[in-house]
Amino acid sequence: MSSSTPDPADPVFRLHVGGKMAVASTVPLTSREDLSLAYTPGVARVCEAIAADPALVDTYTWVSHTVAVVTDGSAVLGLGNIGPRAALPVMEGKAVLFKQFGGVDAVPVCLDTQDVDEIVATVRALAPSFGGINLEDISAPRCFEVERRLDEALDIPVFHDDQHGTAIVVLAALRNAATLLNRKLGDLRVAVSGAGAAGVAVTKMLIAGGVDPERVVVCDSRGIIGRHRELTGTKAELAEITNAEGRQGDITEALRDADVLVGVSGGQIPEAAVAGMAPGGIVFALANPTPEVHPEVAARHVAVVATGRSDYPNQINNVLAFPGVFRGALDAGATRITDSMKVAAADAIAGVVAESLTADAIVPSPLDPRVAPAVAEAVAEAARRDRVARR
């Protein structure tokens, strides 16, 4: 029996019977009086109040603590374009992580379209029911346009977790790895393997956090990105601000004398390329389930290794970021999520373990209960500093 064939004895399939979430009432409904308050006729007074002052929706509905987890099923985990129905178990999982770690209620919304215009129009139409939009598992490059257009159109936070969640945790991990090795971010030479949604966001996040863009080299499937290539869109933007030395070639050339490798591509990187890095380096091989470089191989050549897997130290896991980011944004009534809010989230994650750093513990455990509250507080404060907060 293949691993994808339902097996009643398999604990994975047993756990998923009936789904992983349900709707629960927050008010009693045991008497006529309860019904008259929660529904008709009482609810009409609340509706009229909101109609007169739409801002009251935050106070008298679930909007202030609820987000939509939106996907088109085009880039689900490592499974690819499997469609909205097959994506639903992942979105349910994301929703329960929101609740468990951030106290945020989340609703899976799996769209049966992969047309950018239709996705944007549908999410805009659904937006009044939610306090934020978490975009999930939408393939590049469409994800960039979807997020940009929704961010411009809506007055609530829009956050593509595959981009920014990964990027926030990578910045947190690199901050702590650099501290552990007595290095400064601005002095590090960084190679990023992968120029999809995560690769672009990681590159921009590292630069926003203090990495010198001229010391960054990004590779896609065709090799190093730079002005020597004809590029469009986000890759053209990267070519303008990175690779100041004008390097050309493949990942081996990108890694020559590099201090840091961030792998977000899924492609395999030969050991010889890692061996060409500068001494005392850092490798984040984040492809899942198969890292770009096996962590035990990477450890032969560098000082700190992180992966996306839970069975090795230093797991770069988005759950360290998104529950607290949305909790903080909702608490502040933020209208959007700024770069400063993301950097603040990364600093908060790094700070949780800053006093106990080791080569095998540069980020907190995904189960550490200190993380989400610390991130939420930092994000809310940053939102107020950036003047995007309504509370």
Side-chain angles (χ1 to χ4, degrees), residues 61 92 97 116 129 149 160 173 180 196 220 239-240 260 292 296 323 326 352-353 358 386:
T61 73
E92 286 185 359
L97 293 175
V116 168
S129 294
R149 288 172 57 179
H160 186 208
L180 182 67
D220 63 9
E240 290 297 316
V260 181
E292 289 87 352
E296 294 175 9
F326 268 99
V352 169
V353 293
T358 69
D386 286 351

Side-chain angles (χ1 to χ4, degrees), residues 82 86 92 109 115 120 126 166 173 183 218 230 254 262 300 371:
I82 60 175
E92 286 185 359
V109 179
D115 178 83
V120 171
L126 290 170
T166 299
R183 305 288 299 276
V218 183
E230 292 186 9
V262 181
R300 298 172 190 161
V371 176

Side-chain angles (χ1 to χ4, degrees), residues 9-384:
D10 186 325
V12 171
F13 283 96
R14 285 206 309 270
L15 181 143
H16 282 80
V17 172
K20 297 190 290 283
M21 57 186 297
V23 175
S25 174
T26 63
V27 298
L29 291 173
T30 58
S31 68
R32 287 181 179 271
E33 182 181 9
D34 291 341
L35 289 172
S36 69
L37 292 173
Y39 199 52
T40 186
V43 72
R45 292 167 54 195
V46 179
C47 295
E48 290 174 336
I50 295 171
D53 181 3
L56 292 176
V57 73
D58 287 347
T59 302
Y60 295 111
T61 73
W62 73 349
V63 160
S64 64
H65 56 85
T66 306
V67 303
V69 182
V70 178
T71 189
D72 65 356
S74 61
V76 181
L77 298 179
L79 304 174
N81 188 356
I82 60 175
R85 290 172 181 82
L88 186 52
V90 178
M91 302 310 117
E92 286 185 359
K94 196 72 175 235
V96 298
L97 293 175
F98 264 114
K99 187 65 172 179
Q100 177 70 26
F101 295 109
V104 174
D105 292 293
V107 178
V109 179
C110 298
L111 303 178
D112 195 10
T113 178
Q114 295 183 357
D115 178 83
V116 168
D117 291 338
E118 290 186 358
I119 293 171
V120 171
T122 302
V123 175
R124 287 184 65 180
L126 290 170
S129 294
F130 301 100
I133 305 295
N134 184 89
L135 300 174
E136 188 76 18
D137 292 347
I138 299 174
S139 64
R142 293 177 306 111
C143 59
F144 302 121
E145 184 178 358
V146 169
E147 184 186 42
R148 178 186 61 78
R149 288 172 57 179
L150 287 174
D151 196 44
E152 292 174 353
L154 302 178
D155 63 352
I156 57 176
V158 178
F159 185 83
H160 186 208
D161 188 49
D162 302 304
Q163 295 181 62
H164 309 302
T166 299
I168 287 168
V169 184
V170 166
L171 176 58
L174 188 58
R175 279 206 191 289
N176 279 345
T179 298
L180 182 67
L181 300 175
N182 197 28
R183 305 288 299 276
K184 295 181 179 179
L185 286 185
D187 294 335
L188 297 175
R189 291 180 175 271
V190 180
V192 179
S193 177
V200 171
V202 164
T203 302
K204 292 182 176 180
M205 187 86 267
L206 293 181
I207 293 169
V211 171
D212 183 348
E214 294 188 354
R215 291 175 172 264
V216 177
V217 177
V218 183
C219 284
D220 63 9
S221 60
R222 293 180 53 200
I224 293 174
I225 288 174
R227 297 181 182 181
H228 60 283
R229 290 174 52 185
E230 292 186 9
L231 299 163
T232 59
T234 54
K235 291 184 182 182
E237 294 173 14
L238 291 180
E240 290 297 316
I241 61 174
T242 64
N243 191 18
E245 295 179 354
R247 294 194 184 196
Q248 301 182 31
D250 60 10
I251 188 63
T252 299
E253 172 62 19
L255 283 175
R256 181 172 53 83
D257 297 325
D259 301 296
V260 181
L261 162 64
V262 181
V264 281
S265 65
Q268 294 299 290
I269 297 174
E271 181 175 358
V274 178
M277 295 176 65
I282 301 164
V283 166
F284 295 170
L286 306 183
N288 215 347
T290 305
E292 289 87 352
V293 184
H294 193 283
E296 294 175 9
V297 172
R300 298 172 190 161
H301 305 283
V302 300
V304 178
V305 179
T307 73
R309 292 173 53 141
S310 60
D311 54 348
Y312 288 98
N314 298 325
Q315 185 187 17
I316 306 298
N317 192 322
N318 290 5
V319 76
L320 290 168
F322 68 81
V325 168
F326 268 99
R327 179 74 275 164
L330 292 170
D331 288 347
T335 56
R336 57 191 295 264
I337 294 176
T338 65
D339 284 346
S340 296
M341 293 162 70
K342 298 171 200 170
V343 171
D347 290 346
I349 294 167
V352 169
V353 293
E355 301 302 319
S356 57
L357 293 177
T358 69
D360 287 341
I362 58 169
V363 287
S365 161
L367 299 174
D368 192 322
R370 299 173 295 172
V371 176
V375 172
E377 181 179 358
V379 167
E381 289 177 359
R384 296 181 183 109

